[in-house]
Amino acid sequence: MTQSDIGLIGLGTMGAMLALNIAEKGFPIAVWNRTTEVTHKFVQSAGDLAPKITPTDTLADLVAALKTPRAIILMVPAGQAVDDQITALTPLLDDGDMIIDAGNANFRDTNRRAENAAQGGPRFLGIGVSGGEEGARHGPSIMGGGKAEDWNRISHILEAISAKYQGTPCATRMGDAGAGHFVKAVHNGIEYADMQMIAEVYGVLRDGMGFHAPDISDVLAGWNKGPLQSYLIEISAAVTAVIDDKTNEPIVDVILDRAGQKGTGRWTVIEAQHLSAPIPVIEAAVMARNTSALLDERCKGEALFGPAPQEMPRSTLTIADLEHAMIAGKILCYAQGFALTSAASAEFGWSLPLPEIAKVWREGCIIRSSMLNDMATALAEDPSRNLILAPFFADLLEKSHNALRKVVANAALNGLPVPALAAGLAWFDIMRTGRSTANMIQAQRDFFGAHGFERTDGGSGHHGPWAMQG
Ligand code: 6PG
C-alpha cells in the first residue's frame, strides 16, 4: 500500500473538505473518523480523488498508513475533543511525529498543548483555518503557530492547499505555540465586527429609509465595486437578493433575528481586556450578538417603551453617507484589531508579523477584502504605527469620518441601534483628542483613594489639597 503524506482525523464538513483539497493538490492522505461508516462513505463519494485517499478503521491503521515522520491533522471540535484525540494518538506515535490542530482552538489551549509537546511526545502545531466550507475545499487562509522546523515540514502542503493572492499563498507561520490560533481569534473578532457593521447599515436602510431587501441588495452590490469590496459585502448583497420558496418574500425577512455564535469573538474580547487593548468595535459586535439572543426581553421592551421612532426622511442620509460611514468603521475596527495583535505580540513574546497577517487575510478567509492589501502596505511601512495614523488610511478617514458621525447621530435620533459604528466613532474621537477628560478620573481617584496623579507641568505622585478644600 502506498503510504500517505499526511493523515486527517475528523470528517465533519470542514475536515472532509480539507481532505479533498489535500488530495486534489496531489498529496496522498489517510483519513479516520470516529464513525467508520462516515469514513467509507466519504471516500466512496470522493470521485476522481478517491485513489489518493486511504480510509482507515482504527487509529492504529491510520498511523500505519502514514509516511514517517508522520503528520496528522485534527479537525475535531475545539476543546476536550482535541485533548482526547491527542491522548489517544500519543501512544501510537513515534518521536518526531506531529499532530496539527486545525480547528478553532482557544490559543491558550494551543499554548498548553505546545508546552506539553515540548516536554516529550508528538510535536504540535496549532493552525487557524478560515474560509468556511468553500475555503476548506478550494483554498483557505491558514494562520500557523508552532516551532518553525515543524511548520517547515508541512508548509509545502499547507501552501499548496491555501488560497492564493495574485499567486502568493495565504498560509503563514505567525509565531510559536498559540500564535496562529491567536491571529485566527483576532480574525474572528473582526469577522463579527464587519458582519455587525453591515447589519447596522442594513438596519438603517430597512428601518430608517424604508428600503426593501432587493433594493438593499443593489446598494451592497454597488459598494462591492468600490473601496468596500469584500467577501462579506458580496454575500450580504447575495443573501438580500434571495426569495424564500415558502412565502415568496425575501428570505432575509423570514430569518429570525437571533444570532448564533460559537464563542471565538468572545475570546477576542476577553483577551483584549487582559491586554488592556481597546477593541470597542469588536466588543460592540459581540455585545450585539449576545443582545440579539434576548428576543423575549426585547419584545417586552418594545411593548413597554414602544418601538423606537424609525422614520427618517430620506433626505437626511444618503447612500454615499452610509458607504463612507462603513469605510470609516472598517478602518477603525481593523486599526483596533491590529493594535490588539501588537499588544499580544509584546506580551507573549511572539513577534507577530503584522504586514504578513494582513497579507494572509487578503484571500481565502471570511474577512478577505481589497482594503487588506492597502493595510499590508501601510503596516509594512511601520508596523508599530496605529493604522489610523498611516497616511493612506488617515486620508481615507479624513474623507469619511464626518459621514460616520452623520450616520451615528441620525441613527441615534431615530432610535436605530448602531452600536459597532458608534463605538468606532467614539474611539476615533478619543484618539483625536490630545487633551482628554482622564484628568477628572485622576482627580477622583486621588480624592477618594490618594492614588496620586501626574501634573501637566511635570512630575508624578502628586496629591490634591482635597482635605483642606473638600
Ligand atoms: C472562518 C470562520 C469560522 C467560524 C464561523 C462561525 O474563518 O471560516 O471564522 O471559523 O467558525 O464563522 O463562527 P460563529 O459561530 O462564532 O459565528
Side-chain angles (χ1 to χ4, degrees):
M1 185 174 71
T2 318
Q3 295 222 295
S4 297
D5 288 348
I6 195 157
L8 184 140
I9 291 178
L11 291 169
T13 311
M14 292 293 283
M17 295 300 128
L18 209 60
L20 293 174
N21 187 356
I22 292 170
E24 189 178 64
K25 300 300 174 312
F27 303 100
I29 178 168
V31 295
W32 180 81
N33 196 72
R34 210 156 34 121
T35 316
T36 309
E37 201 190 339
V38 170
T39 312
H40 289 277
K41 279 202 173 136
F42 167 68
V43 180
Q44 279 154 22
S45 64
D48 293 351
L49 298 174
K52 288 251 176 254
I53 306 174
T54 304
T56 60
D57 292 353
T58 66
L59 280 181
D61 291 348
L62 174 77
V63 169
L66 300 177
K67 282 180 196 158
T68 57
R70 303 176 184 88
I72 301 176
I73 296 177
L74 301 185
M75 278 304 255
V76 298
Q80 191 57 44
V82 176
D83 289 315
D84 292 347
Q85 214 48 252
I86 294 171
T87 305
L89 269 174
T90 300
L92 305 173
L93 297 178
D94 297 321
D95 283 353
D97 290 348
M98 176 159 68
I99 296 175
I100 303 137
D101 177 15
N104 261 339
N106 185 315
F107 87 99
R108 290 185 182 273
D109 286 337
T110 306
N111 277 348
R112 171 176 54 79
R113 291 167 188 144
E115 181 58 39
N116 289 345
Q119 308 300 319
R123 292 163 172 277
F124 189 75
L125 280 184
I127 63 172
V129 176
S130 175
E133 193 177 334
E134 187 66 13
R137 176 67 184 87
H138 297 294
S141 163
I142 299 176
M143 296 144 256
K147 290 192 189 317
E149 72 242 40
D150 295 333
W151 170 264
N152 291 341
R153 239 173 66 191
I154 57 153
S155 59
H156 61 294
I157 300 180
L158 299 177
E159 285 173 5
I161 64 167
S162 74
K164 310 288 179 300
Y165 178 84
Q166 297 178 359
T168 304
C170 294
T172 303
R173 175 180 170 269
M174 300 298 171
D176 285 333
H181 277 136
F182 184 87
V183 172
K184 176 64 171 46
V186 176
H187 167 284
N188 278 35
I190 292 173
E191 173 185 306
Y192 275 48
D194 261 350
M195 292 167 74
Q196 175 63 24
M197 287 188 286
I198 294 171
E200 290 175 8
V201 168
Y202 158 77
V204 172
L205 287 165
R206 184 189 70 181
D207 300 328
M209 298 167 84
F211 277 59
H212 296 295
D215 307 322
I216 296 174
S217 176
D218 290 344
V219 170
L220 295 173
W223 291 354
N224 203 39
K225 298 191 182 100
L228 289 175
Q229 187 286 320
S230 63
Y231 173 70
L232 285 169
I233 291 279
E234 181 191 326
I235 65 164
S236 304
V239 299
T240 37
V242 173
I243 300 297
D244 175 41
D245 292 341
K246 193 168 156 198
T247 58
N248 226 18
E249 297 293 327
I251 186 100
V252 72
D253 291 340
V254 296
I255 295 177
L256 192 68
D257 55 327
R258 187 156 57 188
Q261 57 181 310
K262 297 203 198 75
T264 42
R266 185 186 314 140
W267 292 345
T268 317
V269 170
I270 291 169
E271 293 309 328
Q273 293 293 345
H274 282 310
L275 292 161
S276 304
I279 54 163
V281 181
I282 297 171
E283 284 166 7
V286 174
M287 176 282 289
R289 276 211 201 184
N290 291 337
T291 311
S292 83
L294 307 177
L295 185 54
D296 291 348
E297 279 165 279
R298 287 193 282 119
C299 290
K300 284 179 190 150
E302 181 170 321
L304 183 62
F305 299 110
Q310 294 182 347
E311 282 289 313
M312 57 172 77
R314 279 207 181 203
S315 56
T316 314
L317 283 181
T318 65
I319 298 296
D321 289 333
L322 289 170
E323 183 181 14
H324 284 108
M326 283 288 293
I327 292 171
K330 184 161 176 144
I331 296 168
L332 296 166
C333 163
Y334 279 72
Q336 293 164 13
F338 282 113
L340 165 63
T341 310
S342 262
S345 188
E347 176 70 15
F348 305 125
W350 276 333
S351 306
L352 293 173
L354 266 60
E356 298 309 312
I357 294 172
K359 283 184 191 164
V360 97
W361 290 344
R362 289 180 301 189
E363 268 306 336
C365 67
I366 302 294
I367 64 170
R368 60 187 182 261
S369 76
S370 59
M371 218 185 262
L372 274 161
N373 192 44
D374 298 317
M375 290 183 185
T377 307
L379 290 165
E381 284 162 13
D382 181 357
S384 65
R385 174 185 59 195
N386 191 292
L387 206 58
I388 65 168
L389 303 177
F392 180 87
F393 287 102
D395 188 47
L396 265 183
L397 271 175
E398 278 294 341
K399 292 179 182 136
S400 59
H401 76 84
N402 279 328
L404 177 61
R405 197 173 304 288
K406 200 173 158 193
V407 168
V408 170
N410 273 285
L413 289 171
N414 289 280
L416 296 166
V418 289
L421 290 170
L425 177 64
W427 181 77
F428 174 70
D429 281 338
I430 294 172
M431 289 297 285
R432 70 202 291 257
T433 301
R435 172 75 173 148
S436 80
T437 56
N439 51 322
M440 172 57 93
I441 306 293
Q442 285 297 75
Q444 291 163 338
R445 290 177 71 247
D446 192 54
F447 188 99
F448 64 63
H451 294 294
F453 53 77
E454 297 168 283
R455 290 181 58 99
T456 52
D457 52 8
S460 59
H462 294 285
H463 295 284
W466 317 120
M468 287 170 284
Q469 292 161 36

